[in-house]
């Protein structure tokens, strides 16, 4: 015996399976958008809006295939950040991590948390008071942080439960709404132009964003080479079917009244279930947004954890709770950041960056798949390979460039400035790291 027993270093437990990843991704995709989306798309395309859904389903599947392959090749925590780092190294990886954390995660969560408070205030006006809303917000995020620190299994179960609760009312609208459809409302007056279809597709692509959130749990996923592709396919398949079915029912029930409606599903619920239907749908909206916040708190702090593990955030952010095996520091800091931005009102400025930043993040990862193949990265066994050779990643990248071209120049400029600044920071850090290594390894005279 040479010494006392040394306990192993704390580590993340691989306890998340296909349902956990799929419902996390699904909860983050099916959020606020689906409750207003049918009216927006109908305002552009009328009864022919279904074309944009079909086009969008094809396009997002290409991006999903890229994510599935990257997720099966890279098993470490961090999702898209980890994939970009494995493909392109620490500088591009750092840019991807910053986009993932600040553009895709914190900004979106703050905006949706604000919407959540406003939705509840429309039902219970007392919550419109700033003090009451602040107390509620701190209570919500404090509870979510404690649940996720207590254990990843607990966070996953809560995510799955709320994911099911948000799907039940949507499924009820589809099921009962089919019997209230007026066939005349589904007749196309004319074939929409390509430009209009493209505009409608852009809206729907934004609604599909969120699939990457479930990938942040790669480091806690069982058998990621098999789990990630299956979970992505399950989440995207469910979302596509729900979106198409909801648009079909909403158009068939409301007809011309659907175009431009800001609460289309509430109107459908009122038509199908009676006067209380709209109120119930408002409650369903609150549950849906709550489901997003739960799923986001389960996965997004892993981006900060992964950045800290790589030394691109302070190392103490990557500390793991020794008894619960969860990244407790990253969880607490993420919850605090979302709360502060939500109450400050500055999240409106970050939304612009969220749009351009998330698309840029997707572009990096889709191109990164080609690099991962060239480097033969396979951290979790035999990886899933998207069919068609380089066709899927290149087609996905082309789609993203097309979508970026539809953004206003100010949005593109904001995204460009963010990328340049963060890239310069990470390049400087990489230069200092190399200089330090050379100094410590050079022979002393």
């Amino acid at each position: 015996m040479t010494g006392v027993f040394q306990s192993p270093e704390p580590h993340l437990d691989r306890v998340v399976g296909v349902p956990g990843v799929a419902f996390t991704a699904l909860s983050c995709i099916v959020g606020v958008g689906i409750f207003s989306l049918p009216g927006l798309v109908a305002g552009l395309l009328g009864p022919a809006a279904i074309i944009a859904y079909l086009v969008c389903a094809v396009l997002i599947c290409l991006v999903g295939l890229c994510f599935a392959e990257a997720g099966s090749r890279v098993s470490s925590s961090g999702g898209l950040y980890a994939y970009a780092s494995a493909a392109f190294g620490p500088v591009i990886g750092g840019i991807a991590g910053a986009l993932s954390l600040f553009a895709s995660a914190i900004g979106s969560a703050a905006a949706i948390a604000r919407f959540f408070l406003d939705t509840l205030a429309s039902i219970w006006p007392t919550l419109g008071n700033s003090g009451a809303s602040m107390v509620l917000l701190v209570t919500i995020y404090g509870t979510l942080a404690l649940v996720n620190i207590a254990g990843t299994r607990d966070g996953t179960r809560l995510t799955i439960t709320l994911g099911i609760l948000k799907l039940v009312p949507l499924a009820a609208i589809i099921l009962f709404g089919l019997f209230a459809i007026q066939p005349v409302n589904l007749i196309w007056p004319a074939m929409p132009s390509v430009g209009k279809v493209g505009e409608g597709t852009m809206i729907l692509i934004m609604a599909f964003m969120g699939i990457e959130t479930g990938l942040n749990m790669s480091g806690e996923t069982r058998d990621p080479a098999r789990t990630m592709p299956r979970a992505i396919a399950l989440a995207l398949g469910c979302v596509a079917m729900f979106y198409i079915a909801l648009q079909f029912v909403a158009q068939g029930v409301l007809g011309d009244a659907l175009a431009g409606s800001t609460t289309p599903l509430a109107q459908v619920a009122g038509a199908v279930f009676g006067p209380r239907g709209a109120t119930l749908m408002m409650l369903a909206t609150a549950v849906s947004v709550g489901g997003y916040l739960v799923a986001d708190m389960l996965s997004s702090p892993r981006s900060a954890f992964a950045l800290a593990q790589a030394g691109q955030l302070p190392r103490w952010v990557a500390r793991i709770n020794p008894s619960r095996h969860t990244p407790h520091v990253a969880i607490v800091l993420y919850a605090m950041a979302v709360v502060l931005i939500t109450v400050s009102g500055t999240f409106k400025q970050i939304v612009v960056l969220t749009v351009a930043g998330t698309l840029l993040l997707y572009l990096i990862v889709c191109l990164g798949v080609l690099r991962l193949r060239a480097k033969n990265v396979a951290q979790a066994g035999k990886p899933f390979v998207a069919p068609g050779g380089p066709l899927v990643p290149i087609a996905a990248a082309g789609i993203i460039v097309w979508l970026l071209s539809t953004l206003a120049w100010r949005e593109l400029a904001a995204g460009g400035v963010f990328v340049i600044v963060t890239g310069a920071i990470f390049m400087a850090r990489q230069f200092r790291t190399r200089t330090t290594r050379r100094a410590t390894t050079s022979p002393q005279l």
Side-chain angles (χ1 to χ4, degrees), residues 207-261:
F208 273 89
M209 284 183 173
I211 186 66
E212 71 279 3
T213 307
L215 305 180
N216 288 337
M217 298 183 295
S218 300
E220 295 158 276
T221 300
R222 296 190 300 266
D223 193 8
R226 291 169 57 86
T227 297
M228 287 300 181
R230 293 180 179 182
I232 290 174
L234 178 60
L236 287 179
C238 288
V239 168
M241 287 190 296
F242 265 86
Y243 279 16
I244 291 172
L246 284 168
Q247 184 70 34
F248 181 80
V249 169
Q251 181 64 50
V253 173
L254 299 180
D256 293 339
L258 175 62
S261 172

Side-chain angles (χ1 to χ4, degrees), residues 35 115-116 119-120 123-124 281-291:
F35 292 91
F115 179 87
F116 181 60
T119 300
L120 291 179
I123 302 173
W124 297 291
M281 189 49 57
M282 290 296 290
L283 289 172
T285 303
V287 171
S288 179
V289 178

